[in-house]
Amino acid sequence: MTTDVKARPARPSEPPTTGTGTPSLKDRGNLFEVAMRQIDKAAQLTKLDADVWQILQQPKNEILTNFPVRMDDGRIQLFKGYRVQHNNILGPYKGGMRYHPEANLDEMKALAAWMTYKSALHEIPFGGGKGGIKFDPTKHSKTELERITRRFTHSLGNNIGPDWDIPAPDVGSNEQTMVWMMDTYMNVVGQNERHSVRGVVTGKSVNAGGSYGRREATGAGVMHCIVEWAKDTNFDLDGAHVIIQGFGNVGSFAARLLSQKGAVIVGVGDHGGYIANPEGLNAHKLQEHVAKAGTVATYKGAAKITRDEFFALECDVFVPAALELEIGVKEANALKAKVVVEGANGPTYPEAEDILLDKGVAVIPDILCNSGGVIVSYYEWLQNKRSEQWEHQDVLDRLQHRMTKTYGEVRTYATKHKCNWRTASYAIGLERIERCYKERGIFP
Ligand code: NAD
């Protein structure tokens, strides 16, 4: 158990900005507190049992490890790694590994809790976890990244495992990271078990035991939610204007898949800057550019704009797909979109969400719409357990079915209980968890 929790700063109503116009994460308030405020509304609506609520308000385990790694120049550098295990009543802990210089314990606690409710909402037999390393992966060579990842995996030891806690990629980590984690874990179990523990991580490359469709899964889930919202509101996606913040795994695939539906991507932004083109950006070419240049900011087929100009762009759909707490009061007031579809985890301050809802902007919450990743991770884990490889289309069809089913359940719940979609999504998850606790009780 550890405590690197700093005194809680005053709760900001909008993200403060640095000179580059990009808010620093450490100045954005306590993410765990934001998460608890959101979930508390659903706990009140469902009249959640006080004992269950007490259990859910803190993670079960908070693991912090400082581990040494040899750098390319021969020096040793110490890294700080985290793994927070929020809850496992419904199944093994599950959640991403974030590599980011501003990673911190409260962020991990919030992200781990969101995973618990996300899996419960979609009826995936997983609990919630999150972890990562506090460092900037862009500042290290591939060989250093490999050693950092392997040493971190080794430090976590039996705190991860295919039936205990199953990491996946998140911001700053990717398929390669997962393959190194899997290989390290496989090599420390007995040789007879080696192949039966492939499911220790998901989001692996297909070559190394991953699932077809995992790469684009989260973006695909976002797209399915937008398609459902368009059906509900009689809105034609063909020609609709879309802006996307973050052009990594989630943002880039959301852009490509929405373009295939006829939507026009008129603005994007990432850590390097923001660009716009009212005629539309070619998502495929932009993804190729980012793979080489590392940012959208240097893409030739668009004009450079500021962060403030990005949030004020004329558009129908906004997909935040970067980091948390990017939409404050200022951004909410500026946004012209009809719907905000949270590809990122926790991108919206509660105060900003109130403004959006008052303006009549629909908000499709993160735990509903960015769950494509964990859903296909579940399929990957099942395939690993059964030594199967499902066909690509089969995976995509199952994903679409589950996303649209849950979307419909949230719509029905929100209508019945006259609440917003975020509260409805948490409430469905909380009720499932509560039922399980009621039946199982507390051991001993
Ligand atoms: P990624 O590392 O692939 O991409 C992150 C993107 O955000 C990059 O384009 C980066 O430049 C941009 N970014 C970083 N800092 C920024 C800043 N200050 N301002 C603007 N842009 C910034 O990560 P990802 O996997 O695409 O994850 C993005 C979000 O989606 C995160 O909130 C993550 O937790 C969430 N998410 C990811 C998955 C998944 O399967 N990868 C699943 C569910 C939720």
Side-chain angles (χ1 to χ4, degrees), residues 210-241:
S211 176
Y212 288 108
R214 175 61 183 86
R215 191 177 287 174
E216 69 268 38
T218 308
V222 166
M223 177 269 290
H224 291 313
C225 285
I226 294 170
V227 169
E228 291 305 299
W229 167 82
K231 278 189 213 157
D232 280 351
T233 53
N234 274 329
F235 180 79
D236 190 358
L237 276 182
D238 194 8
H241 284 189

Side-chain angles (χ1 to χ4, degrees), residues 22 98 170-172 214 218 247-250 270-271 321-322 343 345 370:
T22 304
R98 179 170 290 195
D170 191 71
V171 174
R214 175 61 183 86
T218 308
F247 208 75
N249 174 274
V250 180
D270 68 10
H271 68 283
N345 284 307
N370 74 20

